[in-house]
Amino acid sequence: MGGKSTSGYDLEDVDGIGPKTAQMLQSRGIISARHLALFTPEELVDITDMTPDRAEKILRNARELVFGQKRILKGSELVKTMQDMPRLTTGVKSIDKLLGGGLEPKATYEFAGEFGTGKTQLCHQLAVTVQLPRDKGGVAGACAYIDTEEAFSPSRIEAIAKRFGLDPQQVLDNIYVMKVVNAADLEDRIKFDIVKLVEQCNVKLIIIDSIIALYRAEFKGRERLAERQQRLNYILDWLMRIAKVYNIYIVMTNQVLDVPLGYIEVKRPAGGNVLAHAVTHRLFLKKSRDDVRVMEVLDSPRLPHKATATFRITDKGVEDT
Ligand code: GTP
Ligand code: MG
């Protein structure tokens, strides 16, 4: 990491920011005008000694500079920009088809499912396919991998890389694995380190495996549920801000809970309404037989409800059946 921001605008390009303020913001971890534009006035006041008025003014100027006049689009222009955004292949034809051609940027994907349903395997595969060139369904980007469950496996990445004809060492070099210890740490990694990787290291895909484990462990019991949900909402909101502003792909995994429904128990993703509302596309993974798994659309604004795809977990990663 390091070097000049490639986001287009330096902090000093923002009206009202001189060398001293730029230096102060940098010392707080804010690296560019685009990065600054992600913050809310309250957040900025929190990490600096700025007055709320000053913070608000500076942020307005930063947004004006970075997003400029492009914020209002005609419907026809919107169609065009959506068509211009490449889909990211999962490396599995049936899943790509289910997702409308692969993952779309500026959106968040949730893979929820019981243990062993392939959530982590899919994350590993995406950390590789994002590095494929455009004509092979990738975006020639790097991956930031937040591993909250100690499940990241370099040897698995190597096997998948070989299958896609990529150099395993190079592929591993393009995956930035981050360990996080608690929710506050996750917030810092996402607000600062991840943005830096996106701006300076060509990161196009952010993976969080899993989003819920930390929160379930840290905020135990009913009395802390409201606090847990608030914190979860906060981090999901930040991920969405990053996805939209940097036009990148975001994938997270989630655990499931047994929820009583009359006389039976059904499996539902953890995280309650907060996660349900904050995630763009919710996919549910289930075991079928042996190594076969089923992915089902649970909730999505654009994908058909309950549509499914089947896939297999093999020595080479995740494949069509
Ligand atoms: P949790 O994190 O425990 O909730 O599960 P998960 O959904 O993340 O499961 P994961 O993606 O780790 O999938 C585990 C499955 O992949 C198991 O059925 C393993 O047998 C299988 N698997 C993992 N590595 C390999 C491998 O190298 N070869 C083969 N054939 N299968 C593998
Ligand atoms: Mg896992």
Side-chain angles (χ1 to χ4, degrees):
M1 288 202 243
K4 194 174 141 66
S5 150
T6 53
S7 75
Y9 297 106
D10 288 326
L11 286 165
E12 281 190 54
D13 296 334
V14 178
D15 252 359
I17 298 186
K20 249 176 95 180
T21 305
Q23 204 174 22
M24 181 273 291
L25 290 170
Q26 266 156 3
S27 74
R28 304 297 194 275
I30 299 177
I31 56 171
S32 70
R34 192 174 289 270
H35 190 191
L36 179 65
L38 293 175
F39 283 77
T40 64
E42 295 74 33
E43 287 166 346
L44 200 56
V45 168
D46 237 19
I47 58 168
T48 64
D49 49 11
M50 276 186 202
T51 62
D53 275 358
R54 174 112 204 274
E56 210 160 304
K57 205 176 284 172
I58 278 181
L59 288 176
R60 190 172 300 129
N61 292 344
R63 288 194 300 270
E64 198 57 42
L65 174 74
V66 174
F67 309 127
Q69 301 303 313
K70 281 202 185 143
R71 308 182 82 179
I72 302 173
L73 293 180
K74 291 180 191 164
S76 54
E77 291 169 328
L78 189 66
V79 169
K80 170 119 189 29
T81 63
M82 285 175 90
Q83 283 166 347
D84 284 346
M85 295 192 294
R87 292 279 175 157
L88 169 60
T89 184
T90 61
V92 184
K93 286 197 186 73
S94 66
I95 299 180
D96 283 356
K97 187 160 170 257
L98 180 73
L99 302 183
L103 270 58
E104 61 171 346
K106 295 187 194 242
T108 51
Y109 287 82
E110 172 195 345
F111 297 138
E114 269 189 287
F115 67 93
T117 47
K119 305 180 293 291
T120 298
Q121 300 307 312
L122 260 168
C123 290
H124 279 66
Q125 185 140 314
L126 283 163
V128 176
T129 58
V130 71
Q131 302 188 37
L132 288 167
R134 288 258 184 137
D135 61 354
K136 297 258 172 64
V139 291
C143 172
Y145 200 112
I146 300 180
D147 181 18
T148 70
E149 299 190 337
E150 300 286 324
F152 183 78
S153 158
S155 63
R156 203 69 180 121
I157 293 289
E158 284 171 0
I160 298 170
K162 278 185 204 150
R163 162 169 155 222
F164 288 98
L166 296 171
D167 173 39
Q169 209 47 52
Q170 226 168 327
V171 166
L172 281 171
D173 272 345
N174 275 322
I175 303 175
Y176 300 89
V177 185
M178 270 176 251
K179 310 274 180 207
V180 289
V181 292
N182 56 35
D185 190 30
L186 179 66
E187 285 167 15
D188 279 348
R189 299 284 81 75
I190 288 175
K191 286 161 75 172
F192 299 102
D193 299 1
I194 291 271
V195 173
K196 201 166 181 182
L197 287 166
V198 169
E199 286 203 7
Q200 300 177 350
C201 302
N202 193 33
V203 161
K204 299 283 186 207
L205 168 68
I206 301 171
I207 289 172
I208 302 143
D209 185 22
S210 77
I211 187 75
I212 200 75
L214 286 176
Y215 292 85
R216 278 173 108 177
E218 190 171 340
F219 303 96
K220 283 208 186 86
R222 279 210 158 269
E223 52 296 350
R224 297 198 71 189
L225 190 62
E227 188 189 352
R228 182 190 97 174
Q229 292 305 85
Q230 209 172 11
R231 292 287 283 274
L232 189 57
N233 196 32
Y234 181 69
I235 208 60
L236 291 165
D237 181 60
W238 255 92
L239 286 168
M240 205 60 223
R241 290 186 221 177
I242 295 172
K244 281 186 186 157
V245 167
Y246 291 99
N247 198 15
I248 61 171
Y249 309 84
I250 300 203
V251 166
M252 60 193 101
T253 68
N254 189 10
Q255 301 166 340
V256 293
L257 299 171
D258 288 317
V259 180
L261 192 78
Y263 293 108
I264 55 162
E265 286 200 325
V266 290
K267 300 207 180 298
R268 290 278 151 76
N273 284 334
V274 161
L275 213 70
H277 291 301
V279 167
T280 320
H281 304 288
R282 307 198 96 179
L283 289 319
F284 201 77
L285 274 53
K286 290 183 277 198
K287 287 180 195 170
S288 177
R289 61 195 143 74
D290 306 324
D291 55 352
V292 178
R293 303 287 185 269
V294 177
M295 180 185 283
E296 180 183 306
V297 176
L298 202 60
D299 193 14
S300 160
R302 291 179 276 285
L303 306 175
H305 183 59
K306 293 206 161 178
T308 59
T310 53
F311 63 94
R312 273 170 60 217
I313 306 173
T314 73
D315 289 347
K316 294 181 189 158
V318 185
E319 298 189 77
D320 278 284
T321 48

